[in-house]
Amino acid sequence: MTTHSLPARTDTPARTPAEKTGRGGRRLLRQRAGRQHHAGPLAYLLLAVMALLSIFPLYWTMVAASTDNTRVSQTPPPFLPGPNLFSNLARAWDEAAMGKAMINSLIVAGVIAMSTVMFATLAGFAFAKLRFKGRNVLLMLVIGTMMVPPQLGVVPLFMLMSELGWSQQLPAVIFPTLVSAVGVFFMRQYLSEALPDELVEAGRVDGAHSLRIFWSIVLPVARPAMAVLFMITFVHAWNDFFWPFVVLDMTNPTVPVALTQLSAGYVRDQSLIMAGALLGTLPLLVMFVVFGRRIVSGIMAGAVKG
């Protein structure tokens, strides 16, 4: 009696595409993965149109500031710069006391931006990585303050500044805005994703207290978000008009408050107003040109690490 042996089963798991291609194929896949993708002509055209639309308001401000009031009011308006740019800038500088206003705005915006970044990072770290009773309730209260219109607190806040003797002084503008709920929420969200719990636990194991962990671990991780928050807060504080207009006067103004002096009178000189607006915008443009590359590179570094 003969027996026929069955062929042995040779079931093997299916190979992945990378295994099928072999070592050389995997190298090619890695090269393709690291290769930059180039956009098509339509994407470049769309970017060019958006760039022109973004630059046009600044260009029109410069054109209006370089002509006289009669030429600005004509129809159609001028679209090429005129010969009066520097004379209008000098007039706006003198009539609006822009020198003192810029110094005041630099002090106010710088202090507010730095304090917001530091306090918001501290609070964001606490809400993101520390465990304590009432953490969620406190976070909801902080977020809830974002829903209250700031105009509702103008009267009691002005009364408080008057009682403290800070009326018509820069501390009355600085202290009410040393930290913002938006900054706290922004840093909390960033640190929740970018800061691993293992780093905080490793610091605890090494015997570091919370402030030491914040200084040595949290700050290096949070630098990209801190740079973005600093830029946003500085621009917002520089352009803030309502509260400085309420609590300051023309003897000690910030830039937005000083610009109101140019629109006084029965007949407004539009070219002079535009010249003052151009002077108030130039420091922000210079700051972005100087620090913009570092901020963008920090954002990209943080995105890659995350």
Side-chain angles (χ1 to χ4, degrees):
M1 184 175 181
T2 60
T3 60
H4 299 281
S5 59
L6 296 175
R9 297 182 63 182
T10 58
D11 295 340
T12 57
R15 293 186 297 173
T16 62
E19 293 174 345
K20 292 180 181 179
T21 55
R23 184 176 301 175
R26 288 194 295 269
R27 186 182 299 111
L28 180 61
L29 289 175
R30 286 195 297 268
Q31 293 176 356
R32 290 180 178 177
R35 187 179 303 168
Q36 294 182 352
H37 298 280
H38 298 280
L42 183 60
Y44 284 109
L45 178 62
L46 181 60
L47 290 175
V49 172
M50 296 300 296
L52 291 176
L53 292 177
S54 301
I55 296 174
F56 180 76
L58 180 62
Y59 175 75
W60 165 247
T61 302
M62 185 188 68
V63 170
S66 62
T67 59
D68 53 25
N69 196 34
T70 303
R71 185 71 181 93
V72 173
S73 303
Q74 291 179 354
T75 303
F79 289 98
L80 294 177
N84 302 328
L85 177 62
F86 293 103
S87 61
N88 288 339
L89 290 177
R91 287 177 55 205
W93 184 274
D94 294 334
E95 294 186 16
M98 290 297 292
K100 185 175 184 179
M102 283 194 175
I103 294 176
N104 289 343
S105 289
L106 183 62
I107 295 173
V108 170
V111 173
I112 290 176
M114 288 187 293
S115 65
T116 298
V117 168
M118 184 57 62
F119 291 141
T121 306
L122 276 168
F125 167 60
F127 284 127
K129 298 300 176 180
L130 300 184
R131 301 292 181 265
F132 55 91
K133 293 183 178 180
R135 183 185 65 167
N136 295 331
V137 175
L138 289 176
L139 181 60
M140 290 298 104
L141 289 177
V142 171
I143 297 175
T145 60
M146 299 167 56
M147 305 177 186
V148 180
Q151 291 80 5
L152 295 180
V154 170
V155 174
L157 190 59
F158 182 81
M159 295 173 60
L160 177 61
M161 295 298 107
S162 299
E163 291 292 332
L164 294 175
W166 289 350
S167 180
Q168 314 302 333
Q169 298 181 16
L170 296 184
V173 182
I174 295 174
F175 277 87
T177 53
L178 285 177
V179 67
S180 64
V182 177
V184 173
F185 181 73
F186 175 75
M187 294 305 303
R188 187 262 179 191
Q189 294 299 108
Y190 181 85
L191 291 175
S192 296
E193 299 294 334
L195 181 62
D197 294 336
E198 290 78 7
L199 289 179
V200 180
E201 294 174 359
R204 295 292 187 191
V205 171
D206 292 339
H209 51 79
S210 297
L211 290 179
R212 179 64 178 177
I213 292 174
F214 175 79
W215 184 263
S216 301
I217 299 177
V218 178
L219 286 183
V221 175
R223 282 176 184 174
M226 293 171 66
V228 176
L229 182 60
F230 180 89
M231 175 69 74
I232 295 174
T233 307
F234 187 92
V235 173
H236 182 269
W238 182 278
N239 294 328
D240 188 20
F241 170 75
F242 181 70
W243 175 243
F245 182 75
V246 172
V247 78
L248 298 178
D249 58 9
M250 291 301 171
T251 62
N252 194 31
T254 57
V255 169
V257 177
L259 291 179
T260 60
Q261 186 69 19
L262 300 178
S263 60
Y266 293 101
V267 180
R268 296 182 178 181
D269 192 342
Q270 298 295 335
S271 61
L272 189 63
I273 296 174
M274 289 298 180
L278 185 61
L279 285 174
T281 306
L282 287 178
L284 298 179
L285 295 177
V286 172
M287 186 183 68
F288 184 79
V289 169
V290 174
F291 300 104
R293 185 182 297 272
R294 297 182 181 178
I295 292 175
V296 173
S297 62
I299 295 173
M300 297 305 297
V304 172
K305 290 180 182 179

